[in-house]
Amino acid sequence: MRIPGYQIQLPEQPYRLMPGDFNDFKGAYDMSNGDTMVLRQYGRKLFAEIGDGPRTEIVPAARNEFVSVDEQLKMTLNRNVDGLVKGELLMALPRQTMGQAGGAGVTVTLLGL
């Protein structure tokens, strides 16, 4: 999915997380738009659920960066020294969802775990 000024694409080769690396990011996050994002792991697969939306499989592009397999989400997460996780989520949305915004994407800030 191409968004002016942004790009969401799967990495050519997913980043290989070490066992337990995703544990730093699993959980529920409040987002600046009022939604909640939940990150979960089932076996070796990683998933994101945003608001009432469907569970979406994500793959690591780096240790703290994840992209959905449908290339509709891209997130970067950072864990502070105090353990608080913050980051940024880029979501590609259909034009009709964006209303008069005129674009095909929106950036949402994660407020923390």
Side-chain angles (χ1 to χ4, degrees):
M1 166 64 76
R2 297 193 128 248
I3 299 170
Y6 298 96
Q7 187 172 0
I8 300 176
Q9 71 181 63
L10 286 168
E12 288 184 28
Q13 185 71 19
Y15 179 83
R16 187 178 181 112
L17 290 176
M18 299 302 292
D21 279 353
F22 194 66
N23 291 340
D24 289 343
F25 304 116
K26 287 193 293 191
Y29 296 86
D30 293 325
M31 299 186 339
S32 62
N33 68 351
D35 277 339
T36 299
M37 177 176 73
V38 178
L39 299 180
R40 297 186 173 146
Q41 182 173 3
Y42 296 103
R44 292 180 166 219
K45 292 190 175 193
L46 312 175
F47 295 92
E49 297 173 40
I50 298 174
D52 295 330
R55 180 172 58 187
T56 302
E57 185 176 355
I58 57 175
V59 295
R63 187 186 181 289
N64 66 331
E65 186 177 296
F66 302 90
V67 176
S68 64
V69 295
D70 63 3
E71 296 182 328
Q72 298 297 300
L73 302 172
K74 180 179 181 179
M75 70 186 85
T76 303
L77 304 170
N78 297 299
R79 180 174 286 280
N80 296 337
V81 176
D82 62 4
L84 184 66
V85 176
K86 291 189 175 187
E88 185 173 76
L89 171 67
L90 180 65
M91 298 187 296
L93 301 173
R95 285 187 187 272
Q96 63 270 21
T97 303
M98 293 298 292
Q100 298 297 324
V106 64
T107 300
V108 176
T109 302
L110 303 175
L111 299 178
L113 183 63

